[in-house]
Amino acid sequence: MGIDYNKITKALVGTSVARPNKTGTLSGHAAGEPFSVVLYNTLKKDYPTTVFKQYEYLNKLFLASPYTSPKSRLISSPTARFLLSDKNESAFLKWTPSKLLEEKQNDTADMLYVENGYFDIIDAKTTQIKKNAQPPNIISAFKVANMCATMIKYNDFDSVDIHYVSMDWIENEGKLQCVGSAYKSLFKIIPEELYINWSAALQIQFHPQTVEQKFNGSKQEWAKLYLNHFVRSAKRRIDKMRNDFIDEFTPYL
């Protein structure tokens, strides 16, 4: 069970997409979106019945029992339910066959592999290799903290994985060509080494091509280590805010 990422990344190398705009600078999102489609189509070719867009899977799931109680339509894994509803189940509960879910830019999963209660969240990340770019936003550190808390609370460590598939591209004769691809698991990154940018909406940031996969513990251990890392980082942020913006002015209140 699961995706053969070695095969998928090899298949991506050499693929190309039309340049989204004929002139000017390409933003990360503009270049990333067409390559995300390439990744989706590549996955769908090998896994036609188990790979979906996030909204596609949820609509399929709900349409299988459209007239049951809304609560009965909820995903059994509390961790997957949290990630796919972004901690807001109102969309699940208000869903109707005449009001299907649509794709949203802030969906946790670019793509989703689902089989026998196992959810693999797949996110596509692209990089122009000739450009010295800053590490991209990967995922909300706060969302990951809530995910870890959910895993620990419900002892739900085996139902979810999160993978990032990187596609390095160059511009070639009016097209963007993928010249390298790799995959990384969030749960194989040492939690303490994850950089949290508190000035960028609490985003975890790293280069998927180069981030190391050195964590060999269990997901339960990963979740606890991450929460310790997140809380320590938050406390440092609080101390800095107090030092920079509170203590200096308190005597004048």
Side-chain angles (χ1 to χ4, degrees), residues 2-241:
I3 290 173
D4 183 347
Y5 281 103
N6 285 315
K7 181 181 178 182
I8 294 299
T9 51
K10 287 179 181 177
L12 291 170
V13 176
T15 59
S16 61
V17 298
R19 197 185 201 279
N21 51 318
K22 293 183 178 181
T23 60
T25 302
L26 285 174
S27 68
H29 178 70
E33 186 61 29
F35 275 118
S36 181
V37 174
V38 171
L39 174 58
Y40 174 75
N41 290 337
T42 303
L43 287 166
K44 200 70 175 174
K45 181 180 178 181
D46 284 1
Y47 306 95
T49 63
T50 50
V51 165
F52 310 88
K53 291 284 192 175
Q54 177 172 314
Y55 76 100
E56 288 177 334
Y57 172 73
L58 295 175
N59 284 330
K60 178 179 181 292
L61 177 69
F62 296 167
L63 283 168
S65 55
Y67 301 110
T68 59
S69 164
K71 284 288 185 183
S72 69
R73 294 197 297 257
L74 297 182
I75 296 169
S76 58
S77 161
T79 307
R81 184 166 67 245
F82 162 71
L83 290 169
L84 300 183
S85 65
D86 290 338
K87 207 180 178 183
N88 181 359
E89 293 180 348
S90 63
F92 285 11
L93 301 178
K94 294 178 181 178
W95 178 94
T96 68
S98 60
K99 191 176 182 181
L100 299 180
L101 299 174
E102 298 178 349
E103 188 169 17
K104 295 181 179 179
Q105 189 173 343
N106 64 349
D107 285 345
T108 300
D110 279 353
M111 283 138 269
L112 189 65
Y113 171 92
V114 185
E115 187 174 11
N116 298 328
Y118 167 74
F119 298 80
D120 188 359
I121 290 171
I122 307 160
D123 198 358
K125 295 296 179 185
T126 59
T127 302
Q128 184 179 5
I129 62 173
K130 292 184 178 180
K131 183 178 179 182
N132 187 21
Q134 294 295 318
N137 292 340
I138 299 295
I139 189 171
S140 162
F142 185 57
K143 181 183 290 187
V144 174
N146 276 285
M147 175 192 72
C148 291
T150 302
M151 295 169 83
I152 294 168
K153 179 178 180 180
Y154 294 98
N155 195 31
D156 182 30
F157 300 102
D158 298 322
S159 64
V160 169
D161 271 316
I162 301 177
H163 285 93
Y164 298 95
V165 177
S166 65
M167 285 169 281
D168 303 332
W169 58 270
I170 61 172
E171 189 168 355
N172 184 20
E173 297 181 350
K175 292 185 177 181
L176 311 184
Q177 183 177 7
C178 178
V179 295
S181 181
Y183 68 94
K184 301 294 172 69
S185 166
L186 180 65
F187 297 111
K188 293 296 183 183
I189 304 171
I190 295 173
E192 295 90 338
E193 294 182 359
L194 289 168
Y195 171 65
I196 301 171
N197 190 336
W198 289 84
S199 299
L202 279 73
Q203 285 289 313
I204 292 172
Q205 296 176 330
F206 58 75
H207 284 297
Q209 308 94 318
T210 58
V211 68
E212 295 183 325
Q213 302 272 267
K214 291 185 175 181
F215 185 78
N216 295 315
S218 68
K219 286 181 186 172
Q220 183 175 12
E221 292 170 325
W222 194 96
K224 291 181 178 179
L225 287 170
Y226 177 82
L227 285 177
N228 274 285
H229 172 55
F230 180 81
V231 170
R232 285 196 301 269
S233 180
K235 287 180 177 178
R236 287 195 298 269
R237 181 68 174 176
I238 291 170
D239 291 342
K240 179 173 174 50
M241 292 289 287

